[in-house]
Amino acid sequence: MARKMDYKNIKLVGLTAKISPELGKNFTILSEILSTYGVEILAENSVAKALNLKGYELKDLALKCDFIISLGGDGTMISVCRKCAKFSPFVLGIHAGTLGFLTDITMSEAPKFFSEFFSGRYEVEEPFMLDVILSKKDGEITHKIAFNDATIMRFKPASIAIVDAFLNGKFFNSYFGDGIIISTPVGSTAYNMSAGGSIIYPLSEVFALTPICSHSLTQRPVVLPRGFMVEFRAYKDEILVLDGQDTFKMSSYESVKIGLSTTKARLIRHVGRDYFQILKEKLRWGQQ
């Protein structure tokens, strides 16, 4: 059973971060803020090494700490959620620079946010992730999780990706072109959007299949509900890329099955976070 957030009794907070020249200063600021609430920060190994502190494995932080701070950009937060999916920790994304789609709190806003948080004024969003099940011909199964998307794409620039799709065991489609993106709702504003896929509200229980530069104008994005599994097979040099971070050769596997997982991320948000306002600001909607 997933742990519940007990904001009144938080003692340990994990920290993972993108290594940058500002890391030391930001760590000091966060340590000073949290210490006023009786909270200690434990640093993930790479952060600890950069700051000459005692370090911990990320999975140990997920088990030991009340929540994990991801300090950096959206990519840092995605990596934390994927690697810790088994433990389903609470994750707070703090952007060290400007506003991100996922990391909507900046360092300058941290004092105000924690003041509200430790008064019980916060929200937790639980977007669904993707189950990615890779099957070899000898029966070996590998299970992975994707936060934003799983993309099957051509490996060589001059080649064409050919991907067959089977929906709940029945042949569904053949995709010819640069590949196909399988996106979560929260990932719909990433690669999916750039390929012409729909923007989907992050807490929706659906996932999207979006062709990349299809060689047929009749190939269009498709949105499917939770409970559907799509099996993909590719036969040449196509690769599978998860969240732009992990890569697998499709030729090494008989197939890969992808669908919306029962596993969710648990993202700590400030009260009143307006997803559509973020869309307007990031995509400059309404501006001429």
Side-chain angles (χ1 to χ4, degrees), residues 82-109:
R82 288 184 59 235
K83 291 177 180 178
C84 296
K86 179 180 178 181
F87 311 106
S88 191
F90 293 97
V91 178
L92 171 64
I94 298 180
H95 203 294
T98 55
L99 188 70
F101 268 113
L102 299 175
T103 50
D104 57 319
I105 300 166
T106 63
M107 279 298 302
S108 63
E109 295 168 332

Side-chain angles (χ1 to χ4, degrees), residues 50 52 98 101 110 113 122 135 137 145 161 191 213 216 258 278 283:
N52 196 27
T98 55
F101 268 113
F113 169 78
Y122 64 92
S135 301
K137 293 181 180 179
I145 290 286
Y191 195 7
C213 297
S216 170
I258 303 175
I278 293 172
L283 304 182

Side-chain angles (χ1 to χ4, degrees), residues 18-77:
K18 181 178 181 180
I19 306 303
S20 72
E22 302 295 311
L23 177 57
K25 181 182 75 174
N26 289 336
F27 179 84
T28 299
I29 292 171
L30 291 174
S31 295
E32 290 176 350
I33 294 171
L34 290 173
S35 66
T36 64
Y37 300 99
V39 177
E40 179 186 358
I41 294 180
L42 303 183
E44 182 269 333
N45 280 332
S46 62
V47 174
K49 183 177 180 181
L51 300 178
N52 196 27
L53 300 171
K54 180 181 178 181
Y56 298 83
E57 295 288 341
L58 187 58
K59 67 177 182 179
D60 293 330
L61 294 182
L63 292 171
K64 283 176 175 286
C65 297
D66 297 288
F67 65 88
I68 295 176
I69 294 174
S70 169
L71 177 62
D74 287 354
T76 307
M77 189 169 174

Side-chain angles (χ1 to χ4, degrees), residues 21-286:
E22 302 295 311
L23 177 57
K25 181 182 75 174
N26 289 336
F27 179 84
T28 299
I29 292 171
L30 291 174
S31 295
E32 290 176 350
I33 294 171
L34 290 173
S35 66
T36 64
Y37 300 99
V39 177
E40 179 186 358
I41 294 180
L42 303 183
E44 182 269 333
N45 280 332
S46 62
V47 174
K49 183 177 180 181
L51 300 178
N52 196 27
L53 300 171
K54 180 181 178 181
Y56 298 83
E57 295 288 341
L58 187 58
K59 67 177 182 179
D60 293 330
L61 294 182
L63 292 171
K64 283 176 175 286
C65 297
D66 297 288
F67 65 88
I68 295 176
I69 294 174
S70 169
L71 177 62
D74 287 354
T76 307
M77 189 169 174
I78 288 169
S79 179
V80 173
C81 292
R82 288 184 59 235
K83 291 177 180 178
C84 296
K86 179 180 178 181
F87 311 106
S88 191
F90 293 97
V91 178
L92 171 64
I94 298 180
H95 203 294
T98 55
L99 188 70
F101 268 113
L102 299 175
T103 50
D104 57 319
I105 300 166
T106 63
M107 279 298 302
S108 63
E109 295 168 332
K112 180 177 183 292
F113 169 78
F114 283 115
S115 175
E116 294 176 347
F117 175 82
F118 286 105
S119 298
R121 290 186 293 161
Y122 64 92
E123 296 175 349
V124 175
E125 287 187 359
E126 298 190 4
F128 289 94
M129 296 190 277
L130 291 176
D131 277 325
V132 181
I133 303 170
L134 298 119
S135 301
K136 288 188 174 181
K137 293 181 180 179
D138 62 5
E140 180 183 346
I141 302 293
T142 302
H143 182 203
K144 296 289 184 179
I145 290 286
F147 183 94
N148 261 0
D149 49 48
T151 303
I152 302 172
M153 59 195 304
R154 61 182 183 172
F155 178 69
K156 297 177 182 177
S159 66
I160 297 175
I162 302 175
V163 183
D164 288 339
F166 301 81
L167 184 58
N168 290 341
K170 296 180 180 180
F171 177 74
F172 173 66
N173 204 351
S174 290
Y175 294 93
F176 299 85
D178 287 1
I180 181 169
I181 303 163
I182 303 91
S183 172
T184 63
V186 77
S188 66
T189 50
Y191 195 7
N192 171 76
M193 182 176 68
S194 70
S198 297
I199 295 175
I200 304 171
Y201 184 69
L203 301 182
S204 303
E205 297 187 24
V206 298
F207 64 104
L209 311 182
T210 302
I212 310 169
C213 297
S214 174
H215 281 218
S216 170
L217 294 178
T218 63
Q219 299 285 9
R220 312 306 301 169
V222 175
V223 177
L224 298 173
R226 184 161 65 91
F228 281 58
M229 289 292 290
V230 184
E231 180 179 7
F232 297 95
R233 298 178 184 177
Y235 313 98
K236 302 195 304 178
D237 64 348
E238 294 87 354
I239 57 174
L240 169 69
V241 183
L242 304 183
D243 290 324
Q245 296 175 350
D246 290 348
T247 302
F248 305 86
K249 292 182 179 179
M250 288 292 291
S251 60
S252 299
Y253 299 90
E254 184 174 31
S255 69
V256 55
K257 293 180 180 179
I258 303 175
L260 210 61
S261 179
T262 56
T263 300
K264 302 177 184 179
R266 297 201 292 176
L267 311 179
I268 301 172
R269 303 296 199 188
H270 64 75
V271 173
R273 179 180 188 267
D274 189 338
Y275 172 73
F276 297 102
Q277 183 62 32
I278 293 172
L279 283 183
K280 286 172 61 180
E281 291 176 7
K282 297 295 288 185
L283 304 182
R284 298 185 179 183
W285 287 352

